Amino acid sequence: MDPMHAIIIREPGGPEVLTWTEVTDPEPRPGEVIVDVAASAVNRADLLQRLGAYDPPPGIPPYPGLECSGTISALGDGVTGWQVGDRVCALLGGGGYAERVAVPVGQLLPVPGDLIEAAGFPEVACTVWSNLIQVAHLRAGETVLIHGGGSGIGTFAIQFAKALGARVVTTARRAKHARLLELGADQVIDYTEEDFAKAMTGKADVILDIQGASYLERNIEALATNGRLVVIGLQGGRSGELNLGALMAKRGSVSVTALRARPPEEKAQIVSGVREEVWPLIESGAIRPIIDRRIPMAEAARAHEVVAENAHTGKVLLVLGQ
Ligand SMILES: NC(=O)c1ccc[n+]([C@@H]2O[C@H](COP(=O)([O-])OP(=O)(O)OC[C@H]3O[C@@H](n4cnc5c(N)ncnc54)[C@H](OP(=O)(O)O)[C@@H]3O)[C@@H](O)[C@H]2O)c1
C-alpha cells in the first residue's frame, strides 16, 4: 500500500503552516475501522487547533479534521455490523485531513446521499442535535434564536429546527440573509446593524449561541420565561458576568457544552440518536447539505483562509482524488 498523506500543522501559526506530508498509516484498534477518506470538512475548531489553542484529546491523531466521509478499507478486531467497502461518514476527535483514518464503530454513520457532501454532516448534526434536543429540549411551536446562521452549524440548525416545527430567528451579516431565509429562517437579524436583544426581548425559548461572553447579557435579555441558553462557541470571549437575578426572574437556564472531548461511549450515544432522529430528515431531503465550496485537501491552507474571513455560507469541504 502507498504511504498515506495528511495535513500536518508544522508549528502553531497561520494557514501557511498546514502542509501535505507523508505520515504513518493508521492501524485499527479493536472496535475500530479504517476509512479511506473521500472528503473532510473545515470546522472553526480546526483554526484554533492550527493556532495551537485546541489540542486533540489523548489517543487522537494530531492532524485536524473532526469529520470525514469515505469507504471502509479494514476492520479491527471485534467489529460487527460494518463491512469492507461500506460507504460511511464519521464523527472524529481529529485526523480527518488525511487519506486514511481509524474510527471507532460507534462514530460511523451510513452515507445519507452523496459521498462527498456527507463529509459535512457528522460534526454539525451531532452538535446541533445534542444541544437542541438533549440539552435544550426544543419543541415544535417554540422560538429558537440561532446565532451565526451562515455558519456550518447555523445552516444545519436552521433546517433542523424548522423540520421540528420551531419558529427560527437567526443572526448573520446582510449578505447571507437571502440564503438563510431560503433555508427556512422566519427572521434574520443583521447583528452589525441591529441589537438582536431589542428585537427578541423575552421571546426566545431556546438560544443556540456561538459568541459566549460578548452575547451573554443580551442573550439572557432575549430569553423567554423558562428559556434555555446553550453556549457552544466562545467567539466573543470566554469570561463574562452572568446576572443570576435576570435569569432567576425568567426561571431560565444556561448550559455550555463541547463535543470533541467527550468519551467514545457518549459520542456513540449521540451518533446513534442522530442516526435515528436526524438521518431520516436528510434522507427525505428536509435537511440539505449546504456546501459553500470544495477545495482539494492538499490546499487546506486556502480553505482555512476562506473560513477565517467568514466568506462562506455552510460548509467548506476538503476533497481527495478529484
Ligand atoms: N461546542 C461544540 O461542541 C461545538 C461543535 C461545533 C462547532 N462549535 C462552535 O460553533 C461555532 C460555529 O462553528 P462552525 O464551524 O459552523 O463555524 P463557521 O462556519 O466558521 O462560522 C462562524 C460564523 O460566525 C458568524 N459570526 C461572527 N461574528 C458573529 C456575531 N457577532 N454574531 C453572530 N454571528 C457571528 C459568522 O457569520 P457572519 O459572516 O454572519 O458574521 C460565521 O458564519 C464556532 O464557534 C464553533 O467553535 C462548537
Side-chain angles (χ1 to χ4, degrees):
M1 190 184 284
D2 291 337
M4 85 153 187
H5 290 76
I7 290 284
I8 62 157
I9 300 170
R10 281 201 320 278
E11 58 187 346
E16 70 285 352
V17 303
L18 299 175
T19 311
W20 189 239
T21 307
E22 217 173 276
V23 298
T24 314
D25 249 296
E27 287 288 333
R29 290 173 288 205
E32 290 184 345
V33 303
I34 299 296
V35 174
D36 284 2
V37 175
S40 184
V42 181
N43 285 280
R44 203 82 194 174
D46 305 346
L47 279 60
L48 291 178
Q49 180 172 342
R50 194 199 69 220
L51 290 165
Y54 196 41
D55 288 339
I60 298 296
Y63 331 118
L66 297 173
E67 55 193 342
C68 73
S69 62
T71 307
I72 294 178
S73 61
L75 306 179
D77 288 343
V79 170
T80 54
W82 298 95
Q83 306 296 330
V84 168
D86 283 350
R87 286 153 37 106
V88 292
C89 53
L91 179 70
L92 306 172
Y97 292 17
E99 289 177 312
R100 286 186 278 282
V101 64
V103 187
V105 282
Q107 289 164 225
L108 293 172
L109 286 154
V111 170
D114 177 77
L115 178 66
I116 301 292
E117 290 178 342
F121 275 131
E123 174 72 11
V124 292
C126 291
T127 301
V128 168
W129 180 83
S130 61
N131 284 289
L132 289 186
I133 299 302
Q134 290 188 304
V135 178
H137 305 292
L138 179 65
R139 290 181 290 269
E142 289 193 318
T143 296
V144 60
L145 171 60
I146 295 164
H147 285 301
S151 65
I153 290 282
T155 50
F156 185 91
I158 290 168
Q159 298 183 84
F160 178 64
K162 277 314 280 185
L164 267 187
R167 178 171 194 277
V168 176
V169 183
T170 190
T171 54
R173 281 182 295 145
R174 179 77 54 194
K176 299 180 179 175
H177 286 205
R179 188 83 173 99
L180 304 187
L181 290 165
E182 185 238 322
L183 285 183
D186 296 289
Q187 184 183 349
V188 191
I189 298 169
D190 181 352
Y191 67 87
T192 67
E193 288 176 359
E194 194 183 350
D195 180 355
F196 73 84
K198 295 272 175 300
M200 290 297 293
T201 304
K203 292 183 185 159
D205 298 297
V206 171
I207 302 177
L208 186 66
D209 177 56
I210 59 171
Q211 290 301 115
S214 64
Y215 275 10
L216 182 58
E217 188 181 344
R218 282 179 287 163
N219 275 335
I220 303 292
E221 202 179 318
L223 276 187
T225 301
N226 294 316
R228 292 88 75 196
L229 165 62
V230 189
V231 180
I232 62 163
L234 303 173
Q235 296 181 171
R238 311 168 78 89
S239 180
E241 193 170 298
L242 175 61
N243 182 338
L244 290 170
L247 194 61
M248 187 184 275
K250 295 184 173 188
R251 301 185 294 284
S253 69
V254 180
S255 307
V256 188
T257 76
L259 181 59
R260 187 187 199 183
R262 296 193 195 209
E265 313 77 66
E266 264 185 55
K267 286 186 179 168
Q269 190 242 339
I270 291 170
V271 166
S272 157
V274 163
R275 185 170 179 173
E276 205 172 302
E277 294 186 19
V278 180
W279 246 228
L281 298 171
I282 298 175
E283 283 159 354
S284 74
I287 296 178
R288 287 174 285 139
I290 307 303
I291 309 299
D292 184 87
R293 68 192 81 187
R294 300 171 180 213
I295 292 178
M297 191 177 284
E299 296 169 37
R302 185 153 64 82
H304 275 217
E305 279 164 13
V306 169
V307 171
E309 287 166 11
N310 288 328
H312 62 299
T313 298
K315 302 288 291 191
V316 174
L317 298 185
L318 296 172
V319 296
L320 279 168
Q322 289 205 318

